[in-house]
Amino acid sequence: MSGFAIDEHSTDTVSDDIDVIEQDGEDETEEVDVPRGEASGPKRSSARNARTGSRARQPITRAGAARAIAKYVQLTEAREDLVAILAVSLGAPEDDLASLAATVVAGKGTPAISLVTDLADAAGRSPHEATVHAMQLSREDARQAWALLVAAGVVTGPIPAKDGAAAVALAQAVEQIGDDERAAFDQVSELAGR
């Protein structure tokens, strides 16, 4: 599993008796117990760093590393089309499974899938309702929903440039979602679980 790079400086922020994973120069991992008060470097709170304005780094715990590795393995064994849909729904690169696994474990969720299934439900009730619902989406949400439909093979090409045309096209596209696409979205939602 050479795709995972675990920060060798993760012990800098350890403040309690936590097991952390450290990577040595030979791409092997080892567990290191760091007693309280013996972590290298200054202790930082989870608040923003006053000097740099950035958030303090959190240590990688054994449980967190295990979840990320398990998710990576699950993604390597998943169907390619589901991984592609998941990557699009999270805005993560599809060809970097380590990064995709980290994004999933970080718990971003799959809001694009919710957008598309909500639109499809509205289209099932009334095509006009789906259009109204699509018009209420932000431009970014509409683009994400369209990208997800492209990844699922429901539509091809770019979303129309004008907001009104984009909403109509999106509403018409979700009417084309069949049982296979709904099943794929359900499987992707499960794959996105932490």
Side-chain angles (χ1 to χ4, degrees):
M1 285 182 226
S2 62
F4 269 94
I6 300 176
D7 187 0
E8 66 184 70
H9 302 290
S10 63
T11 57
D12 286 348
T13 59
V14 175
S15 60
D16 293 324
D17 297 316
I18 314 174
D19 291 340
V20 295
I21 306 297
E22 212 175 67
Q23 183 171 349
D24 62 20
E26 299 173 0
D27 287 331
E28 295 178 6
T29 59
E30 61 183 44
E31 297 174 17
V32 179
D33 290 325
V34 180
R36 179 176 292 213
E38 292 185 22
S40 62
K43 294 184 189 221
R44 299 180 220 160
S45 70
S46 62
R48 293 203 176 267
N49 183 315
R51 185 173 52 87
T52 64
S54 63
R55 280 209 166 268
R57 295 175 60 125
Q58 296 296 316
I60 298 173
T61 64
R62 180 185 309 163
R67 278 194 310 275
I69 292 168
K71 184 54 65 178
Y72 176 81
V73 169
Q74 185 183 19
L75 291 174
T76 61
E77 296 170 350
R79 289 185 358 219
E80 286 183 29
D81 61 326
L82 298 179
V83 172
I85 293 169
L86 176 64
V88 167
S89 71
L90 294 174
E94 149 186 7
D95 59 343
D96 184 1
L97 292 182
S99 177
L100 184 56
T103 302
V104 170
V105 171
K108 184 178 176 188
T110 54
I113 290 178
S114 298
L115 288 173
V116 169
T117 56
D118 289 349
L119 282 170
D121 291 344
R125 292 187 295 273
S126 160
H128 298 294
E129 186 177 340
T131 303
V132 169
H133 191 70
M135 286 185 161
Q136 294 173 348
L137 295 177
S138 69
R139 184 70 178 161
E140 183 59 32
D141 286 347
R143 284 184 181 156
Q144 287 179 332
W146 188 267
L148 186 62
L149 292 171
V150 169
V154 177
V155 295
T156 58
I159 190 169
K162 296 187 178 192
D163 290 344
V168 170
L170 195 52
Q172 291 172 345
V174 297
E175 290 179 27
Q176 306 306 313
I177 294 175
D179 293 337
D180 291 342
E181 289 84 11
R182 281 192 182 263
F185 293 153
D186 289 342
Q187 291 172 335
V188 168
S189 293
E190 288 176 23
L191 199 56
R194 296 174 65 182

